[in-house]
Amino acid sequence: MTAPPTAEQVGERLTVVRGEIADLGVDPHAVTIVAVTKALEVQVVVAAHDAGLIDIGENYAQELVAKAESPEVAERPDVRWHAIGRLQRNKVRLLAPYITLWQAVDRLALGTEIARRSAGARVLVQVNVSGEDQKGGCAPDEAAPLVEELRELGLSVEGLMGVASAGGGATAAAEFARLRGLVDTIGLPICSMGMSGDYREAVAEGATMLRLGTVLVGERPVR
Ligand SMILES: *Cc1c(COP(=O)(O)O)cnc(C)c1O
């Protein structure tokens, strides 16, 4: 396994990403960058935090909890954990004490459990804009009604999240444009879209939040 990146290395990569955002004519500080540390050691969370990234995304419940409870991270109480992966209802109770933003809420049953374990929690509705079955998310035309139902549960619905088809380019751009259109139609502040392979397209289409793993913290081991 390769050594985890140092805070300096993460910081250099972050500078490159922010430079690219600026080159697209967008204020880099208007875009929240979530560092995705799934499948990497807790030292990677520490390096990202020391580089100034306090928003950290994880996909797997046990892994997130183990990292959040590790002494190195407990010393950094301003870390904000984002649950970005497909989530089973039975993991909500375990995660609830740690999560700042539930990014992958794609069905009412999941929202009901989040509201039960974490009243008033901040959530994003995940929308399947690529149309691929294996990607999570509700259908685009279900997004607005789901936002409404989640609000009725007392949740703070702050935006939408989406994952584009692999490969970036025009296909991803069109999917991002669709997500941004929904965000605007519903009238929400957060548009979480764009990963390492397609964040430029996402920024160009109006992302307010990027979820970046590989470009910031390096390759993940194959699971
Ligand atoms: C893994 C993951 C990311 C980050 O992926 P990279 O390509 O490494 O930037 C972002 N969002 C979600 C939902 C993910 O599962």
Side-chain angles (χ1 to χ4, degrees):
M1 205 176 152
T2 52
T6 63
E8 289 70 26
Q9 287 167 328
V10 177
E12 285 163 14
R13 294 171 188 173
L14 181 59
T15 301
V16 171
V17 169
R18 289 200 169 127
E20 288 174 340
I21 295 172
D23 288 346
L24 290 163
V26 173
D27 173 5
H29 293 282
V31 179
T32 303
I33 294 177
V34 177
V36 177
T37 52
K38 66 173 175 230
L40 298 171
E41 313 159 56
V42 70
Q43 284 70 29
V44 177
V45 177
V46 171
H49 182 270
D50 290 349
L53 291 161
I54 59 176
D55 290 283
I56 307 289
E58 287 279 342
N59 291 53
Y60 307 103
Q62 281 88 348
E63 186 180 345
L64 188 155
V65 171
K67 288 176 182 171
E69 290 184 343
S70 72
E72 306 91 309
V73 175
E75 277 169 14
R76 295 168 167 79
D78 60 338
V79 169
R80 298 192 290 230
W81 292 101
H82 295 241
I84 65 169
R86 204 167 223 183
L87 198 55
Q88 290 168 295
R89 259 192 307 170
N90 64 9
K91 298 287 161 50
V92 169
R93 185 170 63 92
L94 186 68
L95 283 172
Y98 304 102
I99 302 301
T100 293
L101 186 62
W102 303 82
Q103 291 214 19
V105 180
D106 60 359
R107 56 199 192 279
L108 185 59
L110 179 58
T112 303
E113 184 65 10
I114 293 171
R116 190 157 88 94
R117 302 292 180 182
S118 185
R122 300 173 59 207
V123 305
L124 305 183
V125 167
Q126 185 177 355
V127 182
N128 184 344
V129 282
S130 72
E132 297 163 295
D133 286 347
Q134 72 275 18
K135 298 241 162 77
C138 68
D141 61 359
E142 290 169 358
L146 183 55
V147 166
E148 204 43 53
E149 290 171 323
L150 294 169
R151 286 188 169 148
E152 283 164 15
L153 296 171
L155 293 170
S156 176
V157 185
E158 301 190 355
L160 304 181
M161 183 273 248
V163 177
S165 307
T171 306
E175 292 165 0
F176 290 145
R178 184 160 195 201
L179 189 69
R180 178 69 214 207
L182 285 169
V183 164
D184 292 338
T185 305
I186 302 170
L188 297 164
I190 299 178
C191 184
S192 172
M193 58 187 193
M195 305 174 25
S196 293
D198 55 22
Y199 65 90
R200 298 169 193 83
E201 289 90 338
V203 169
E205 297 300 337
T208 68
M209 184 176 277
L210 305 175
R211 307 176 311 273
L212 300 179
T214 316
V215 285
L216 286 181
V217 293
E219 298 281 344
R220 291 179 284 276
V222 186
R223 285 177 89 89

